[in-house]
Amino acid sequence: PGMVEDPLGFSFMEDRRKLVLDLMQVRLIVEPAIAALAAQNATKEDVEQLTTLCREIEDLIHAEKDFSEKDRAFHGKLAEATRNLVMKNLIPVIHQGVRVFSATVSAQEYEQTMETHRQILDAVKNRKAVEAEQAMRYHLLYNMRRFEQEDPTV
């Protein structure tokens, strides 16, 4: 099952908590490598778009508005910046991972989100693949651990 907005049928999965944790595991496997490849292959235009998205996310956070759409765009743009045709096709999985996490987590972590997005962006901008990979890994692990510690009955 699945539709254009939900190509892998995540909306049909009943155990939302397990889905979030499983999606976080997949993202932890894939996205650090995406960040590293983006650092190696991003064009000047990619970096400019990532910079704009990072700034827009921060503006939304400061305005206390929903930033999840821009967050998805930031992670998707990183995948595009790899210049890898297969990675680009993983964007729907990444978007769903961000969407399901944002919809399920009880509270967003604003400061950490801004800080790690900046670290990822700086590493990509400076073509530091290992640093980009590490910053993404930290970003995802932090969110995953925070979610795991939440009360599952909430």
Side-chain angles (χ1 to χ4, degrees):
M3 303 176 302
V4 174
E5 284 296 312
D6 185 15
L8 299 176
F10 294 141
S11 62
F12 296 98
M13 297 176 186
E14 293 180 22
D15 187 343
R16 302 310 282 174
R17 186 164 181 81
K18 173 119 175 76
L19 176 60
V20 169
L21 291 171
D22 287 355
L23 280 167
M24 290 298 291
Q25 284 179 343
V26 170
R27 290 181 66 199
L28 194 53
I29 292 167
V30 174
E31 286 194 76
I34 284 174
L37 278 174
Q40 293 171 342
N41 299 323
T43 65
K44 180 181 176 188
E45 292 78 24
D46 291 330
V47 171
E48 288 170 0
Q49 289 173 2
L50 285 165
T51 302
T52 298
L53 286 166
C54 197
R55 185 175 45 251
E56 289 172 347
I57 289 167
E58 291 183 12
D59 290 346
L60 288 168
I61 287 173
H62 291 302
E64 298 181 6
K65 294 184 178 177
D66 179 21
F67 65 93
S68 58
E69 183 180 321
K70 293 294 181 182
D71 193 30
R72 286 191 296 274
F74 180 83
H75 287 267
K77 185 62 195 173
L78 279 170
E80 286 180 23
T82 66
R83 301 285 150 224
N84 180 303
L85 296 175
V86 176
M87 288 297 186
K88 190 175 175 182
N89 288 339
L90 293 177
I91 292 172
V93 175
I94 294 165
H95 282 183
Q96 280 297 96
V98 174
R99 182 178 291 121
V100 171
F101 178 82
S102 296
T104 308
V105 71
S106 64
Q108 292 291 340
E109 193 356 281
Y110 303 112
E111 290 301 319
Q112 190 275 343
T113 297
M114 290 189 297
E115 181 61 30
T116 53
H117 279 185
R118 273 190 236 117
Q119 290 171 356
I120 294 164
L121 174 62
D122 288 344
V124 170
K125 200 181 289 189
N126 293 309
R127 301 216 173 272
K128 295 186 175 187
V130 173
E131 288 180 20
E133 182 177 14
Q134 289 173 339
M136 180 62 79
R137 187 175 318 304
Y138 177 80
H139 176 62
L140 294 171
L141 280 172
Y142 180 89
N143 285 323
M144 188 174 186
R145 287 196 178 114
R146 192 167 57 84
F147 182 74
E148 288 172 332
Q149 292 170 356
E150 283 190 2
D151 183 352
T153 60
V154 175

